[in-house]
Amino acid sequence: MSGNRKKRVLVADDHPIVGQGIRQVLRHSGEFDVVGVAHDGEEAVQMARELDPDVIVMDLLMPVKNGIDACRDITELQPEIRVLMLTASNSSEAVVESVAAGATGYLVKDSSADRLVESLRDVAEGRFQLTANELRRAASRIRHDNLRSRSPEASVLTPRERDILVKFCEGLSYAQIAEEFGTSRSNVRNTIYRIHDKTASGSNQEMVVWAVRCGILDDLER
């Protein structure tokens, strides 16, 4: 993680023992400061507004308001907050709904403590990966939900930037993209930074959502 400041984390889970367990794991890691625990989706939205955490660990199924709706409300009002969604299974539908709602990552609940810390570290830095099929489905869901009134303009990117963005969204690493295009890893990294600037994306998640909304990924192999 960048810098020495611990990332502020809000945990949202309606099962007290689960919430306490997550809290202990994150505190033990020494990388995170758990600033609160919400017990339903509505409380998560309120606490996010009051506490302004860097990251939220959000249970998918909660009373009053589920995790998907809570995630959507939070990311629309506070887009700088990252959300790691906890799911009972790794079903594609849950993944797609989470990303369409604005989540930066997702994690199956039976994952190890080390995996939780690793995933939260990635989410805090805005890193996440999806398969091409999940990206297409997320694009369809985003368009259906009409989360933004205006579609972005894909023409701000050069053809080369578009091609590199597609490969990045497919989950290829900088090294893999560099090998495919016959260039250097640093060249690919600089291109991704440039795409961030051109699309005004504050994170990789925002950049991928930008790509799916403007149709850049529509030609991915089905």
Side-chain angles (χ1 to χ4, degrees), residues 56 58-60 67-68 71 83-87 98 103 105-107:
I56 300 175
M58 181 86 73
D59 188 14
L60 183 68
I68 296 292
C71 177
V83 178
L84 173 65
M85 195 70 71
L86 289 178
T87 66
S98 297
Y106 62 93
L107 185 68

Side-chain angles (χ1 to χ4, degrees), residues 177-211:
I177 297 173
E179 182 177 359
E180 182 156 338
F181 287 95
T183 187
S184 67
R185 185 178 182 276
S186 61
N187 225 343
V188 172
R189 183 182 63 249
N190 290 338
T191 300
I192 294 297
Y193 288 160
R194 192 161 58 248
I195 294 171
H196 272 286
D197 288 339
K198 287 187 173 184
T199 61
S201 300
S203 68
N204 288 342
Q205 190 268 348
E206 291 178 15
M207 183 175 66
V208 172
V209 170
W210 184 94

Side-chain angles (χ1 to χ4, degrees), residues 76-177:
E76 285 182 352
L77 294 173
Q78 299 167 274
E80 72 282 359
I81 295 179
R82 314 298 185 205
V83 178
L84 173 65
M85 195 70 71
L86 289 178
T87 66
S89 71
N90 59 356
S91 71
S92 181
E93 185 66 23
V95 172
V96 169
E97 288 188 358
S98 297
V99 173
T104 310
Y106 62 93
L107 185 68
V108 180
K109 273 194 168 183
D110 61 0
S111 299
S112 67
D114 288 344
R115 179 59 179 156
L116 171 61
V117 172
E118 179 185 353
S119 297
L120 197 57
R121 185 185 302 127
D122 284 343
V123 165
E125 298 298 336
R127 295 191 296 267
F128 84 124
Q129 290 185 334
L130 293 174
T131 67
N133 183 57
E134 287 167 343
L135 282 170
R136 284 194 298 272
R137 296 185 63 199
S140 175
R141 181 63 59 84
I142 290 169
R143 294 187 183 108
H144 180 267
D145 290 348
N146 193 25
L147 298 183
R148 292 178 175 81
S149 59
R150 298 178 61 189
S151 295
E153 276 293 334
S155 60
V156 299
L157 302 184
T158 66
R160 178 76 161 204
E161 288 168 344
R162 285 171 60 108
D163 290 343
I164 287 178
L165 176 56
V166 168
K167 294 302 179 182
F168 178 83
C169 291
E170 287 183 293
L172 273 66
S173 66
Y174 288 173
Q176 291 170 323
I177 297 173

Side-chain angles (χ1 to χ4, degrees), residues 10-16 18-19 22 37-47 56-72 74 83-88 109:
L10 171 64
V11 177
D13 197 296
D14 62 316
H15 295 94
V18 175
I22 293 173
V37 178
H39 300 99
D40 61 62
E42 187 61 44
E43 187 178 21
V45 174
Q46 294 173 356
M47 292 182 72
I56 300 175
V57 180
M58 181 86 73
D59 188 14
L60 183 68
L61 299 177
M62 290 187 292
V64 185
K65 178 175 290 188
N66 64 45
I68 296 292
D69 291 339
C71 177
R72 183 177 293 109
I74 290 167
V83 178
L84 173 65
M85 195 70 71
L86 289 178
T87 66
K109 273 194 168 183

